[in-house]
């Protein structure tokens, strides 16, 4: 690889790091062609971009980035793959599901919305992270619950003004 090609790869990686707020670094070495194809298919279905990268080039892209990746460059040893996702827990779910059949991929580290997670032992915690849509759904559910209770109580009061006032005073 020429110096110009390396420079272009670093620029491309820097752009990818800037555009994605959820970045997972994993080790998928040792997977055979069929299993690797299955992993790529699972990533595609979950809207995850999977790319194999050179550690030195990814480290230089992290240094060139405006973001603070903390100790994440310290996990760049051996074979490295990068997973980019819009949803913070999607790659963790794919890895966990995939690990039911195989001991790979191993999670080396993750950068989720400015937070850094290091090591494969963080996988369960990353799976439990809620996406923005899940959080919004929880909040809407919490906000709707009291309104639904009041509406059902008003309906059960018989529709008379005295019944409605009595129901509201009890609530």
């Amino acid at each position: 690889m020429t110096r110009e090609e390396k420079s272009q790869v670093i620029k491309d990686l820097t752009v990818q790091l800037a555009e994605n707020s959820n970045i997972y670094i994993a080790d998928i070495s040792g997977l055979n062609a069929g299993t690797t194809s299955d992993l790529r298919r699972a990533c595609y279905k979950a809207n995850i971009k999977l790319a194999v990268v050179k550690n030195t080039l990814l480290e230089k892209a992290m240094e060139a980035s405006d973001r603070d990746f903390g100790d994440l460059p310290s996990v760049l040893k051996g074979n490295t793959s990068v997973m980019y996702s819009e949803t913070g827990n999607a790659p963790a779910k794919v890895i966990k599901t995939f690990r039911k059949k195989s001991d790979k991929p191993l999670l080396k580290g993750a950068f989720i919305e400015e937070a850094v997670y290091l090591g494969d032992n963080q996988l369960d915690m990353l799976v439990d992270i809620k996406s923005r849509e899940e959080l919004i759904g929880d909040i809407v559910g919490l906000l709707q619950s009291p309104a639904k209770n009041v509406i059902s109580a008003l309906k059960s009061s018989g529709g008379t003004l005295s019944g409605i006032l009595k129901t509201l005073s009890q609530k």
Side-chain angles (χ1 to χ4, degrees):
M1 187 179 273
T2 66
R3 183 172 285 161
E4 291 80 24
E5 291 171 332
K6 287 180 183 179
S7 177
Q8 185 59 45
V9 169
I10 291 170
K11 285 179 187 176
D12 293 343
L13 283 171
T14 305
V15 168
Q16 287 292 327
L17 294 174
E19 289 177 351
N20 294 283
S21 57
N22 302 304
I23 302 161
Y24 281 68
I25 298 174
D27 178 4
I28 64 170
S29 65
L31 296 178
N32 62 32
T35 310
T36 302
S37 178
D38 292 342
L39 176 62
R40 288 187 180 279
R41 193 173 299 111
C43 287
Y44 179 77
K45 286 180 182 177
N47 199 24
I48 300 168
K49 297 177 201 165
L50 175 67
V52 178
V53 296
K54 288 190 162 229
N55 292 328
T56 54
L57 300 180
L58 180 58
E59 186 171 4
K60 288 182 181 187
M62 286 179 171
E63 290 170 3
S65 173
D66 294 336
R67 292 187 170 165
D68 179 19
F69 289 98
D71 291 335
L72 200 56
S74 69
V75 301
L76 298 176
K77 295 175 179 71
N79 294 313
T80 301
S81 297
V82 180
M83 303 169 102
Y84 305 103
S85 173
E86 291 180 19
T87 307
N89 63 357
K93 287 180 178 179
V94 167
I95 290 171
K96 187 161 184 155
T97 302
F98 214 78
R99 294 254 298 263
K100 292 177 181 174
K101 301 178 233 168
S102 172
D103 61 337
K104 297 272 178 137
L106 292 175
L107 177 68
K108 291 181 171 187
F111 180 81
I112 312 294
E113 304 283 341
E114 307 296 325
V116 176
Y117 301 88
L118 299 175
D120 195 56
N121 58 341
Q122 302 290 318
L123 186 62
D124 289 330
M125 183 180 4
L126 291 169
V127 168
D128 293 337
I129 290 176
K130 292 194 177 203
S131 69
R132 185 176 317 216
E133 291 78 20
E134 291 169 329
L135 284 173
I136 291 171
D138 288 350
I139 291 169
V140 168
L142 288 171
L143 292 174
Q144 284 181 342
S145 181
K148 286 181 181 178
N149 290 342
V150 170
I151 290 170
S152 68
L154 291 175
K155 287 181 179 177
S156 69
S157 67
T160 63
L161 189 56
S162 62
I164 292 172
L165 291 174
K166 182 180 176 186
T167 302
L168 287 175
S169 66
Q170 290 173 352
K171 296 288 177 186

